[in-house]
């Protein structure tokens, strides 16, 4: 009986963790999403908060930076990437993204691969006034970024 009760609590615990992880990409209900303006993109470094396809990527050190000239630089978990971006209204497209080829620990490689997949699948962007959210062409949330703290961005 005690084992059954303990197992039931364990299952509830796992269900709670799953719900928390599923909510990582969701903005708070009170946050209204809107297209960012170009100045919002280029005015800061964006630190990863949640990345579709991987758990706990928020502590990976992944950051994006957009320039006014249409260049994207990304510090991945291990490698660095550059490419072009085109931003018009809600549409955000990345092209020609290439990076270094460092050999890295398993999680770092997984985070970098997920980042590249997200950049490839991104079709638009939104903001809730503070966070940048990358979206697929069907509106699915691919990644969420917050302004990076000052002094970050150096591996």
């Amino acid at each position: 009986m005690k084992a059954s009760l303990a197992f039931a609590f364990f299952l509830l615990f796992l269900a709670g963790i799953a719900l928390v992880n599923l909510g990582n990409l969701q903005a708070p209900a009170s946050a209204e999403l809107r297209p960012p303006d170009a100045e919002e993109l280029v005015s800061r470094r964006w630190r990863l908060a949640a990345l579709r396809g991987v758990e706990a990527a928020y502590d990976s050190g992944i950051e994006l930076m957009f320039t006014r000239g249409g260049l994207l630089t990304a510090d991945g978990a291990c490698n660095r990437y550059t490419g072009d971006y085109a931003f018009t209204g809600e549409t955000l497209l990345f092209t020609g993204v290439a990076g270094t080829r460092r050999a890295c620990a398993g999680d770092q490689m997984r985070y970098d691969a997920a980042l590249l997949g997200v950049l490839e699948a991104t079709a638009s962007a939104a903001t809730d006034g503070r966070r940048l959210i990358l979206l697929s062409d069907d509106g699915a949330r691919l990644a969420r970024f917050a302004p990076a703290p000052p002094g970050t961005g150096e591996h």
Side-chain angles (χ1 to χ4, degrees):
M1 179 66 174
K2 286 183 182 180
S4 295
L5 187 58
F7 184 69
F9 279 115
F10 177 71
L11 289 177
L12 285 173
F13 173 75
L14 289 178
I17 289 175
L19 286 174
V20 167
N21 284 333
L22 288 174
N24 278 346
L25 290 173
Q26 299 301 318
S30 63
E32 183 178 323
L33 295 181
R34 62 172 178 74
D37 62 45
E39 189 59 31
E40 284 178 286
L41 287 180
V42 301
S43 65
R44 62 187 57 105
R45 292 185 69 83
W46 295 98
R47 169 69 60 99
L48 181 70
L51 184 63
R52 183 176 175 178
V54 295
E55 292 181 29
Y58 60 87
D59 63 355
S60 65
I62 293 174
E63 291 185 358
L64 301 180
M65 190 165 159
F66 300 85
T67 69
R68 284 183 175 77
L71 180 69
L72 166 78
T73 59
D75 289 336
C78 177
N79 289 286
R80 292 185 178 193
Y81 303 94
T82 59
D84 297 318
Y85 76 92
F87 178 68
T88 55
E90 287 184 32
T91 303
L92 176 62
L93 300 173
F94 300 102
T95 57
V97 177
T100 59
R101 295 177 183 238
R102 295 181 192 143
C104 308
D107 280 348
Q108 291 176 321
M109 294 301 288
R110 191 167 50 98
Y111 296 160
D112 279 6
L115 172 64
L116 290 174
V118 162
L119 294 178
E120 184 177 300
T122 296
S124 63
T127 182
D128 62 4
R130 178 151 169 82
R131 295 174 292 193
L132 176 67
I133 299 150
L134 302 182
L135 305 160
S136 67
D137 59 358
D138 65 358
R141 293 171 189 227
L142 301 172
R144 187 179 69 233
F145 292 83
T152 62
E154 298 300 320
H155 280 280

